[in-house]
Amino acid sequence: MIKKFVVELDKKTTALAFVVAGTALTVASLCGIYQVVTRFLFNNPSDWSEVLTRVMLIWMVYMGTAVAIRQGALVSVDLMYRLSKGRWKIFVESFITIACLLLLAIMVWQGISIAWRIRFQIIAGLDISMAWAYLAIPVGALFSMIAVIAHFFDPVRHELETAQ
C-alpha cells in the first residue's frame, strides 16, 4: 500500500522535476545567449540575464538531482552492492537509503533556514528576493527524498558497465 503510493507519487514528482529542470536549462541557455549577444555584439550588457542564468542553473541542478536519483544514475557503492547477497544486500540498500535521506533532510532543514534568513535580500537586476534562488535547495531535496524512497521500493539501475 505505502509502496504503491510512494511509487505513484514519485512518478508525478519526478515528471514535474524533469519539466522544471528542463525549463530551467532552456531559460538559462536563452539568457546566456542573450547576454553574449548584448554584451559583445551591441556593447550594452543587460543587468538581469547573467543573474537569471545563475538562478536557473541552480534550480536545474537541484530539480535534476531528483530525476537522476530515481534513475539510479548517481554515484553508488557498486562493488559492495555487487558482492552482497541476501540479507547483506538488503542491509546495504537500507543503509544507502537511510544515509541519503538523512543528508537530504539536512538539506531541507538548512535550505529552509537559509531561505528564511535572506528573504529580505534582493537579487540585483531581477528585483526579487534572493530566497527564490535558495528555495531550490529544500524543494529539490524534498523531491529527491521521494525519489530515494521510490528507488528503494522500485529500483531502477542504469549502470555504465555491465555486471560480469
Side-chain angles (χ1 to χ4, degrees):
M1 170 107 168
I2 292 176
K3 176 181 174 179
K4 184 178 179 181
F5 172 75
V6 170
V7 171
E8 288 300 316
L9 177 64
D10 173 69
K11 285 180 184 177
K12 293 175 182 155
T13 57
T14 300
L16 178 60
F18 184 78
V19 169
V20 171
T23 303
L25 176 60
T26 302
V27 171
S29 299
L30 293 173
C31 286
I33 291 168
Y34 178 80
Q35 177 67 15
V36 168
V37 168
T38 58
R39 178 179 299 254
F40 297 110
L41 197 61
F42 300 126
N43 288 327
N44 187 15
S46 68
D47 58 350
W48 58 269
S49 58
E50 186 176 338
V51 178
L52 184 58
T53 300
R54 276 190 255 141
V55 170
M56 290 295 105
L57 288 174
I58 291 166
W59 274 94
M60 178 200 66
V61 167
Y62 281 101
M63 296 305 283
T65 300
V67 178
I69 287 172
R70 186 60 182 112
Q71 294 300 312
L74 292 178
V75 175
S76 62
V77 188
D78 286 338
L79 182 61
M80 186 179 354
Y81 182 78
R82 287 181 187 166
L83 295 177
S84 60
K85 305 244 187 288
R87 288 186 181 184
W88 180 248
K89 187 172 231 162
I90 293 169
F91 173 77
V92 169
E93 290 174 344
S94 300
F95 180 77
I96 292 169
T97 299
I98 291 168
C100 288
L101 289 174
L102 284 173
L103 174 67
L104 292 167
I106 291 168
M107 289 174 62
V108 169
W109 173 40
Q110 291 299 314
I112 290 170
S113 176
I114 291 168
W116 181 255
R117 281 184 276 162
I118 63 157
R119 68 189 183 278
F120 298 117
Q121 292 183 17
I122 302 299
I123 298 175
L126 294 180
D127 290 329
I128 62 170
S129 171
M130 194 174 287
W132 288 108
Y134 280 91
L135 277 174
I137 299 168
V139 171
L142 280 172
F143 276 70
S144 295
M145 289 174 87
I146 295 168
V148 165
I149 296 167
H151 185 74
F152 179 77
F153 288 136
D154 182 32
V156 177
R157 289 184 172 74
H158 295 291
E159 296 184 22
L160 296 176
E161 58 189 57
T162 57
Q164 303 280 329

